[in-house]
Protein backbone atom coordinates (compact mmCIF):
# COMPACT_ATOMS: atom_id res chain seq x y z
CA UNK A 1 0.00 0.00 0.00
CA UNK A 2 1.13 3.52 -0.67
CA UNK A 3 2.00 5.90 2.11
CA UNK A 4 3.42 9.39 2.48
CA UNK A 5 5.56 10.57 5.37
CA UNK A 6 6.40 14.17 6.05
CA UNK A 7 9.36 14.02 8.33
CA UNK A 8 8.83 17.28 10.20
CA UNK A 9 5.57 18.37 11.77
CA UNK A 10 6.83 21.92 12.33
CA UNK A 11 9.65 23.88 10.74
CA UNK A 12 10.51 27.28 12.25
CA UNK A 13 12.72 29.50 10.12
CA UNK A 14 13.70 33.15 9.99
CA UNK A 15 12.59 35.38 7.16
CA UNK A 16 14.91 35.34 4.10
CA UNK A 17 16.48 32.05 5.19
CA UNK A 18 16.28 28.94 2.97
CA UNK A 19 13.94 26.13 3.88
CA UNK A 20 13.46 22.48 2.99
CA UNK A 21 10.32 20.50 3.82
CA UNK A 22 10.89 16.78 3.59
CA UNK A 23 8.58 14.19 2.08
CA UNK A 24 9.12 10.47 1.59
CA UNK A 25 6.73 8.03 0.01
CA UNK A 26 6.43 4.30 -0.37
CA UNK A 27 4.96 2.63 -3.40
CA UNK A 28 5.68 -0.42 -5.48
CA UNK A 29 4.50 1.28 -8.66
CA UNK A 30 5.23 4.56 -10.34
CA UNK A 31 3.59 7.58 -8.76
CA UNK A 32 2.62 11.15 -9.33
CA UNK A 33 3.69 13.58 -6.60
CA UNK A 34 2.23 16.86 -5.40
CA UNK A 35 2.79 19.63 -2.90
CA UNK A 36 -0.19 21.62 -1.66
CA UNK A 37 -0.25 24.66 0.64
CA UNK A 38 -2.97 25.60 3.11
CA UNK A 39 -3.06 29.13 4.45
CA UNK A 40 -4.89 29.68 7.76
CA UNK A 41 -8.63 29.08 7.52
CA UNK A 42 -8.50 28.30 3.81
CA UNK A 43 -8.67 25.32 1.52
CA UNK A 44 -5.62 23.87 -0.17
CA UNK A 45 -3.99 25.10 -3.35
CA UNK A 46 -1.50 23.38 -5.59
CA UNK A 47 2.13 24.50 -5.30
CA UNK A 48 3.67 22.10 -7.79
CA UNK A 49 3.52 18.56 -9.13
CA UNK A 50 5.70 15.89 -10.67
CA UNK A 51 4.16 13.64 -13.29
CA UNK A 52 7.16 12.71 -15.44
CA UNK A 53 10.22 14.20 -17.11
CA UNK A 54 12.65 16.52 -15.35
CA UNK A 55 13.07 15.60 -11.71
CA UNK A 56 13.37 19.25 -10.66
CA UNK A 57 9.96 20.84 -10.62
CA UNK A 58 9.29 24.55 -10.18
CA UNK A 59 6.08 25.82 -8.71
CA UNK A 60 4.38 29.00 -7.64
CA UNK A 61 5.72 31.51 -5.12
CA UNK A 62 9.35 30.53 -5.75
CA UNK A 63 9.06 26.97 -4.49
CA UNK A 64 10.68 23.99 -6.16
CA UNK A 65 10.89 20.27 -5.45
CA UNK A 66 13.12 17.46 -6.57
CA UNK A 67 11.93 13.95 -7.27
CA UNK A 68 14.45 11.34 -6.19
CA UNK A 69 13.32 7.90 -7.24
CA UNK A 70 16.11 5.98 -5.50
CA UNK A 71 15.45 7.76 -2.22
CA UNK A 72 11.65 7.78 -2.79
CA UNK A 73 11.63 11.42 -1.79
CA UNK A 74 10.07 14.64 -3.03
CA UNK A 75 11.46 17.42 -0.84
CA UNK A 76 10.19 20.98 -1.17
CA UNK A 77 12.62 23.89 -1.11
CA UNK A 78 12.66 27.66 -1.23
CA UNK A 79 15.91 29.67 -1.20
CA UNK A 80 14.50 32.63 0.72
CA UNK A 81 11.22 32.58 2.63
CA UNK A 82 8.84 35.42 3.44
CA UNK A 83 6.49 35.94 6.34
CA UNK A 84 3.63 35.27 3.91
CA UNK A 85 4.91 31.72 3.39
CA UNK A 86 3.71 30.81 6.88
CA UNK A 87 1.23 28.01 6.25
CA UNK A 88 0.76 24.27 6.37
CA UNK A 89 2.26 22.26 3.55
CA UNK A 90 1.09 18.87 2.40
CA UNK A 91 2.85 16.33 0.24
CA UNK A 92 0.57 13.93 -1.67
CA UNK A 93 0.96 10.91 -3.93
CA UNK A 94 -1.22 9.35 -6.56
CA UNK A 95 -0.59 6.12 -8.34
CA UNK A 96 0.64 6.46 -11.90
CA UNK A 97 -1.24 5.65 -15.09
CA UNK A 98 -4.26 3.47 -14.51
CA UNK A 99 -5.27 4.95 -11.18
CA UNK A 100 -6.13 8.59 -11.55
CA UNK A 101 -8.60 9.12 -8.74
CA UNK A 102 -7.07 8.14 -5.43
CA UNK A 103 -4.82 10.60 -3.63
CA UNK A 104 -2.90 10.05 -0.40
CA UNK A 105 -1.69 12.99 1.69
CA UNK A 106 1.06 13.23 4.24
CA UNK A 107 0.44 14.49 7.74
CA UNK A 108 1.41 18.04 6.93
CA UNK A 109 4.30 20.35 7.91
CA UNK A 110 3.66 23.70 9.50
CA UNK A 111 6.13 26.29 8.25
CA UNK A 112 6.54 29.14 10.72
CA UNK A 113 8.45 32.09 9.29
CA UNK A 114 9.73 34.47 11.95
CA UNK A 115 10.74 38.10 11.37
CA UNK B 1 -15.62 33.41 -10.63
CA UNK B 2 -14.41 29.81 -10.75
CA UNK B 3 -15.02 28.23 -7.39
CA UNK B 4 -16.02 25.28 -5.28
CA UNK B 5 -18.68 26.02 -2.70
CA UNK B 6 -19.63 24.00 0.34
CA UNK B 7 -22.59 24.31 2.67
CA UNK B 8 -22.85 24.60 5.52
CA UNK B 9 -19.50 26.00 6.61
CA UNK B 10 -20.10 25.07 10.23
CA UNK B 11 -22.39 22.43 11.65
CA UNK B 12 -22.97 21.09 15.14
CA UNK B 13 -25.22 18.06 15.35
CA UNK B 14 -26.02 15.09 17.53
CA UNK B 15 -25.17 11.45 17.14
CA UNK B 16 -27.44 9.62 14.72
CA UNK B 17 -29.07 12.61 13.06
CA UNK B 18 -28.67 12.29 9.30
CA UNK B 19 -26.98 15.18 7.56
CA UNK B 20 -25.82 16.24 4.12
CA UNK B 21 -22.95 18.54 3.24
CA UNK B 22 -23.35 19.97 -0.22
CA UNK B 23 -20.57 20.65 -2.68
CA UNK B 24 -20.92 22.47 -5.97
CA UNK B 25 -18.45 23.59 -8.63
CA UNK B 26 -18.98 25.93 -11.56
CA UNK B 27 -15.99 24.89 -13.69
CA UNK B 28 -17.56 21.96 -15.54
CA UNK B 29 -15.05 19.64 -13.88
CA UNK B 30 -15.50 15.91 -14.24
CA UNK B 31 -13.48 14.87 -11.16
CA UNK B 32 -14.68 15.62 -7.64
CA UNK B 33 -13.51 14.37 -4.27
CA UNK B 34 -14.20 14.60 -0.55
CA UNK B 35 -11.52 14.73 2.16
CA UNK B 36 -11.47 14.99 5.90
CA UNK B 37 -8.70 16.79 7.73
CA UNK B 38 -7.72 15.84 11.26
CA UNK B 39 -4.77 17.13 13.31
CA UNK B 40 -1.66 15.03 12.83
CA UNK B 41 -3.30 12.93 10.10
CA UNK B 42 -3.30 15.35 7.20
CA UNK B 43 -6.08 14.95 4.65
CA UNK B 44 -7.64 11.59 4.03
CA UNK B 45 -9.73 10.88 0.98
CA UNK B 46 -13.28 9.71 1.66
CA UNK B 47 -14.80 9.25 -1.81
CA UNK B 48 -14.11 10.50 -5.29
CA UNK B 49 -16.03 10.67 -8.53
CA UNK B 50 -14.62 10.56 -12.03
CA UNK B 51 -17.90 11.63 -13.64
CA UNK B 52 -21.67 11.57 -13.27
CA UNK B 53 -22.83 8.31 -11.70
CA UNK B 54 -19.20 7.14 -11.27
CA UNK B 55 -17.96 7.10 -7.69
CA UNK B 56 -15.31 5.14 -5.82
CA UNK B 57 -14.00 4.77 -2.30
CA UNK B 58 -11.00 6.59 -0.99
CA UNK B 59 -9.12 5.58 2.13
CA UNK B 60 -11.78 6.26 4.77
CA UNK B 61 -15.25 5.70 3.27
CA UNK B 62 -16.87 4.00 6.29
CA UNK B 63 -19.87 5.92 7.60
CA UNK B 64 -20.20 8.11 4.51
CA UNK B 65 -22.20 8.05 1.30
CA UNK B 66 -21.95 10.14 -1.82
CA UNK B 67 -23.89 10.59 -5.01
CA UNK B 68 -23.13 12.24 -8.34
CA UNK B 69 -26.35 12.80 -10.20
CA UNK B 70 -25.23 16.05 -11.79
CA UNK B 71 -21.80 17.06 -12.93
CA UNK B 72 -21.63 20.16 -10.74
CA UNK B 73 -22.81 18.63 -7.44
CA UNK B 74 -21.23 16.03 -5.18
CA UNK B 75 -22.98 15.88 -1.80
CA UNK B 76 -21.54 14.04 1.19
CA UNK B 77 -24.10 12.18 3.28
CA UNK B 78 -23.68 10.99 6.85
CA UNK B 79 -26.59 8.64 7.50
CA UNK B 80 -25.89 8.21 11.21
CA UNK B 81 -23.12 10.55 12.33
CA UNK B 82 -20.92 9.57 15.25
CA UNK B 83 -18.47 11.65 17.33
CA UNK B 84 -15.48 10.16 15.47
CA UNK B 85 -16.74 11.93 12.36
CA UNK B 86 -16.10 15.29 13.98
CA UNK B 87 -13.66 16.83 11.54
CA UNK B 88 -12.95 19.48 8.92
CA UNK B 89 -14.26 18.40 5.52
CA UNK B 90 -13.07 19.60 2.14
CA UNK B 91 -14.57 19.11 -1.28
CA UNK B 92 -12.34 19.45 -4.33
CA UNK B 93 -12.68 19.27 -8.10
CA UNK B 94 -10.38 19.06 -11.08
CA UNK B 95 -10.71 18.90 -14.83
CA UNK B 96 -10.90 15.15 -15.24
CA UNK B 97 -8.45 13.37 -12.95
CA UNK B 98 -6.36 13.82 -9.86
CA UNK B 99 -3.24 14.71 -11.84
CA UNK B 100 -4.79 17.99 -12.83
CA UNK B 101 -4.82 20.80 -10.27
CA UNK B 102 -7.54 20.28 -7.70
CA UNK B 103 -9.57 23.29 -6.61
CA UNK B 104 -10.62 23.08 -2.99
CA UNK B 105 -13.70 24.44 -1.31
CA UNK B 106 -13.47 26.53 1.88
CA UNK B 107 -14.18 23.60 4.19
CA UNK B 108 -17.01 22.50 6.48
CA UNK B 109 -16.30 22.14 10.17
CA UNK B 110 -18.53 19.41 11.57
CA UNK B 111 -18.97 18.65 15.26
CA UNK B 112 -20.94 15.58 16.30
CA UNK B 113 -21.87 15.43 20.00
Amino acid sequence: AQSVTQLDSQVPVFEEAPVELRCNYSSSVSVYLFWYVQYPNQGLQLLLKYLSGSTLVKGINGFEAEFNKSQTSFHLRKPSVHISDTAEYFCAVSLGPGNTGKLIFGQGTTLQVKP
Amino acid sequence: EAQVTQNPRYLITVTGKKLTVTCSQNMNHEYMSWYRQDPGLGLRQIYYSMNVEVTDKGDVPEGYKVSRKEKRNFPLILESPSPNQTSLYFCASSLNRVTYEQYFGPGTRLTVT
Side-chain angles (χ1 to χ4, degrees):
Chain A
Q2 302 78 29
S3 67
V4 180
T5 302
Q6 291 183 239
L7 297 161
D8 306 291
S9 60
Q10 293 191 9
V11 174
V13 64
F14 286 105
E15 194 173 19
E16 297 183 7
V19 71
E20 178 180 81
L21 306 184
R22 298 179 294 168
C23 173
N24 284 91
Y25 69 93
S26 67
S27 175
S28 57
V29 298
S30 62
V31 296
Y32 299 137
L33 296 155
F34 308 82
W35 275 100
Y36 279 84
V37 60
Q38 184 181 30
Y39 298 105
N41 300 314
Q42 294 186 27
L44 281 72
Q45 70 180 90
L46 182 68
L47 268 180
L48 49 78
K49 63 183 178 183
Y50 172 79
L51 303 183
S52 65
S54 172
T55 57
L56 183 62
V57 180
K58 293 190 184 299
I60 62 171
N61 300 340
F63 284 93
E64 63 181 33
E66 184 154 22
F67 170 56
N68 187 319
K69 189 174 182 179
S70 62
Q71 303 281 334
T72 60
S73 67
F74 191 54
H75 300 333
L76 181 70
R77 301 185 184 99
K78 187 170 183 178
S80 176
V81 295
H82 304 288
I83 295 286
S84 59
D85 292 324
T86 295
E88 190 156 20
Y89 292 79
F90 293 95
C91 182
V93 62
S94 172
L95 293 183
N99 185 337
T100 55
K102 204 167 183 181
L103 191 62
I104 299 169
F105 282 85
Q107 303 92 326
T109 297
T110 300
L111 176 63
Q112 301 163 321
V113 181
K114 304 175 181 180
Chain B
E1 179 190 355
Q3 59 183 350
V4 178
T5 56
Q6 295 178 227
N7 282 292
R9 294 289 313 280
Y10 302 91
L11 179 60
I12 300 174
T13 189
V14 296
T15 299
K17 186 176 181 182
K18 181 179 178 180
L19 66 92
T20 299
V21 184
T22 64
C23 172
S24 184
Q25 50 92 5
N26 62 0
M27 295 168 279
N28 201 35
H29 284 170
E30 292 182 353
Y31 176 93
M32 297 185 75
S33 184
W34 276 103
Y35 302 90
R36 59 177 290 174
Q37 183 177 16
D38 301 290
L41 297 177
L43 276 80
R44 292 177 292 168
Q45 193 175 34
I46 303 171
Y47 271 96
Y48 62 93
S49 169
M50 298 296 286
N51 213 326
V52 175
E53 303 290 4
V54 180
T55 63
D56 207 347
K57 296 177 181 179
D59 274 339
V60 288
E62 294 79 19
Y64 304 94
K65 283 177 58 177
V66 293
S67 69
R68 189 91 181 274
K69 292 182 169 45
E70 305 168 281
K71 200 172 187 179
R72 64 184 294 127
N73 296 323
F74 190 43
L76 180 69
I77 304 157
L78 284 73
E79 294 268 3
S80 183
S82 62
N84 64 12
Q85 292 178 298
T86 292
S87 187
L88 180 58
Y89 291 86
F90 287 101
C91 180
S93 74
S94 70
L95 188 60
N96 60 14
R97 59 191 63 193
V98 73
T99 52
Y100 285 84
E101 176 174 359
Q102 288 195 67
Y103 292 81
F104 281 78
T108 294
R109 187 165 292 282
L110 172 65
T111 302
V112 184
T113 61

